[in-house]
Amino acid sequence: MTADGTTKSPRGGTVRNRVRERYGARGHTGDARDADGVTALLSTDRRRLLLVLLLAVTVGVFTATVPLLRDWFDLRVYYGTVDAWIHHGGRIYDYRVPGTTYGFTYPPFAALGMLPMALVGLRTAIVLTLLLNLAALAVVVGFLVGPALRRHGWFGLALTACLLPLFEPLRDTFSFGQVNLVLLALVLTDARLLSRGHGRWAGVGIGLAAAIKLTPALFIALLLLGRRRRAAGVATAVAGAATGLAAWAAPDASRFYWTDALWDTGRVGRLAYVSNQSVQGVLARLAAPGEPSRALWATAVLLVLCVWAWRTSRALAADDWAAAFALTGLAACLVSPITWVHHLVWLLPSFAVLLRHRRLRIAAALYGVLCSSVVWLWFDDASGLDGFLGSNIYTWITLGLLLWLPVGEAVRPGPDRAAVPGAAAVRARRPAERHPGGRRARVTRRPREAVHPASPSGADPDDVPQVRRAAPGPP
């Protein structure tokens, strides 16, 4: 045993260092080597500045050539609906964008929240929406990777500013004038409150998000699964109060929405449209030009929810609320009847989890695919094996993350290592015990084991002492 209390490996070096050499700082040799290589490449400010400039040029060329700009279409739906309702005596769900069949599809409370647009012109509404989305994005990024950005200073901020515009769901959210970033910021605010133990107001953000759009209601189920009954009650009460307020302000619209519009998916768009990256979208493209089986869809949704409950329970047992919220966002995208590409901003928390666990190559590969707009190659024809695989590739990414997103793992378990059971298998070093005869017990280290993700210290497996009594010696 060495002077610092670690055990010598028979092949030289401490066991702790040999584990780190084999598995990397967080358990992955490849990603650790990648991180070391990147660190060497960016060792000077000049190299960092050159990288940022290169990325800025790349982003400029990319956004000028590849993305499809959406001309604020969804914002024009919102603005036209509010304008017709307030200034022309129309009804919320009767408005259609001129020349299209598309109208307002959110619950009536969302229309109440958009009432300030009735006070301004369309161009002003576009500017205000852009600023609101930028503020929401700043909140989301701050919650997800704020500490890492602060460690890297200007370079981290500049790199993030270059990478985010490439992400197709973000591009579409901004160019459509969508609300998903605002909803994500509301939900992550509750995640921050819960993770820091400030649960008094937790649930307000989720409740408001669920009243604006139904999909975030799955986060109330997450709160119940995590035994945060107070937060779940707050979220339910806020969502109910907001819905009741809308029913008081627009009773006819509320009655129509909950009895008719909610169940009419045709109001939103074609289920088989390639932008629909939900389970329902996959089934609809398989069945096209026919209609997908509702029984098959319900079965698939049930299976997804079972996987979500299993994986989220593991995250909650490890007290990993970040992963639990990320998994819930993934499941919500999969089970929603329609999940347009811009809805996939709910995948951003999953990328933060991948980065936290140093799954750098996986995160980079998935992020690259989600920047590529590749699904639009099958815009006209999604038939055949290539169509099945390619037109649904964002769905496969979402499903893969739901199945394999790392949950509280400190090191990568090997075939010879069994997970330690219990939510807090290792809380701290145990003090060395003394032999009844007065001799101090000898402290050795266990064979390599995977520390349960709930270990608050994030200790490596060989940091965990195991007490073995020394044989009695002479007095």
Side-chain angles (χ1 to χ4, degrees):
M1 188 164 61
T2 61
D4 64 352
T6 57
T7 304
K8 269 287 192 184
S9 167
R11 292 180 289 173
T14 64
V15 173
R16 183 190 310 173
N17 289 337
R18 294 196 64 80
V19 170
R20 287 177 176 172
E21 289 171 4
R22 179 178 176 184
Y23 296 101
R26 287 286 182 180
H28 292 273
T29 303
D31 286 344
R33 289 175 181 169
D34 290 346
D36 292 341
V38 170
T39 301
L41 180 65
L42 304 176
S43 57
T44 66
D45 282 343
R46 176 177 295 181
R47 291 181 177 181
R48 294 176 180 178
L49 181 59
L50 287 175
L51 176 62
V52 169
L53 292 176
L54 178 62
L55 281 175
V57 171
T58 302
V59 170
V61 173
F62 180 84
T63 53
T65 56
V66 175
L68 301 172
L69 299 180
R70 311 301 182 175
D71 195 26
W72 314 103
F73 184 85
D74 287 2
L75 179 59
R76 289 193 285 121
V77 172
Y78 308 151
Y79 183 86
T81 298
V82 171
D83 181 67
W85 180 29
I86 299 302
H87 297 302
H88 303 287
R91 295 190 299 181
I92 293 174
Y93 297 101
D94 286 347
Y95 175 79
R96 295 290 186 275
V97 175
T100 76
T101 60
Y102 297 108
F104 198 76
T105 59
Y106 293 164
F109 178 72
L112 285 184
M114 297 173 184
L115 279 178
M117 285 194 292
L119 305 176
V120 300
L122 177 59
R123 291 186 179 180
T124 304
I126 290 173
V127 172
L128 293 176
T129 301
L130 178 61
L131 294 176
L132 179 62
N133 273 330
L134 285 172
L137 180 60
V139 170
V140 169
V141 171
F143 284 167
L144 294 179
V145 293
L149 291 183
R150 286 191 290 272
R151 284 197 303 271
H152 293 287
W154 70 268
F155 178 67
L157 290 173
L159 197 62
T160 303
C162 288
L163 292 177
L164 286 177
L166 298 175
F167 193 57
E168 185 179 4
L170 274 179
R171 297 197 316 260
D172 278 2
T173 292
F174 277 90
S175 62
F176 270 121
Q178 260 284 342
V179 300
N180 295 290
L181 272 176
V182 176
L183 303 184
L184 179 57
L186 288 171
V187 169
L188 290 181
T189 299
D190 281 348
R192 172 61 65 92
L193 292 173
L194 289 170
S195 66
R196 295 192 169 187
H198 305 303
R200 181 177 182 182
W201 295 102
V204 174
I206 292 174
L208 288 174
I212 294 171
K213 191 174 181 179
L214 297 180
T215 306
L218 186 60
F219 288 91
I220 299 179
L222 167 63
L223 297 176
L224 292 173
L225 196 62
R227 298 181 180 179
R228 298 301 179 99
R229 296 183 179 86
R230 175 187 173 86
V234 170
T236 303
V238 169
T243 302
L245 177 63
W248 172 78
D252 291 339
S254 295
R255 187 180 307 109
F256 177 77
Y257 178 80
W258 294 108
T259 60
D260 190 302
L262 174 62
W263 315 103
D264 183 10
T265 57
R267 291 179 57 89
V268 184
R270 293 185 299 109
L271 292 176
Y273 187 47
V274 73
S275 183
N276 184 13
Q277 292 293 308
S278 67
V279 171
Q280 179 79 299
V282 174
L283 297 177
R285 284 185 284 277
L286 281 175
E291 291 294 322
S293 167
R294 292 191 176 185
L296 182 59
W297 174 68
T299 302
V301 166
L302 182 60
L303 289 174
V304 168
L305 290 176
C306 288
V307 173
W308 165 77
W310 164 58
R311 300 232 58 221
T312 303
S313 296
R314 288 188 58 194
L316 294 172
D319 201 26
D320 190 351
W321 280 93
F325 270 79
L327 290 167
T328 305
L330 295 169
C333 289
L334 289 169
V335 303
S336 175
I338 290 182
T339 297
W340 301 135
V341 168
H342 53 265
H343 296 162
L344 297 179
V345 294
W346 291 96
L347 270 62
L348 287 175
S350 298
F351 282 98
V353 173
L354 289 174
L355 294 178
R356 188 185 73 192
H357 289 269
R358 295 199 176 184
R359 308 297 207 271
L360 302 181
R361 284 190 283 188
I362 295 174
L366 297 183
Y367 194 86
V369 174
L370 285 163
C371 291
S372 67
S373 302
V374 64
V375 296
W376 299 100
L377 295 175
W378 290 271
F379 176 80
D380 293 320
D381 183 11
S383 62
L385 179 61
D386 65 316
F388 175 71
L389 297 176
S391 68
N392 303 310
I393 194 167
Y394 293 174
T395 308
W396 307 141
I397 290 175
T398 307
L399 184 59
L401 287 171
L402 180 66
L403 289 169
W404 293 295
L405 190 73
V407 175
E409 297 173 355
V411 294
R412 183 180 181 181
D416 58 337
R417 295 188 286 177
V420 178
V426 180
R427 292 293 181 186
R429 291 181 180 271
R430 289 160 52 187
E433 299 177 5
R434 289 190 176 273
H435 186 266
R439 171 170 290 188
R440 189 174 180 82
R442 183 164 47 141
V443 179
T444 60
R445 306 286 157 180
R446 300 185 197 180
R448 292 196 295 263
E449 291 182 339
V451 178
H452 192 274
S455 174
S457 62
D460 285 341
D462 299 292
D463 288 341
V464 183
Q466 184 181 31
V467 176
R468 187 172 66 194
R469 296 197 181 279

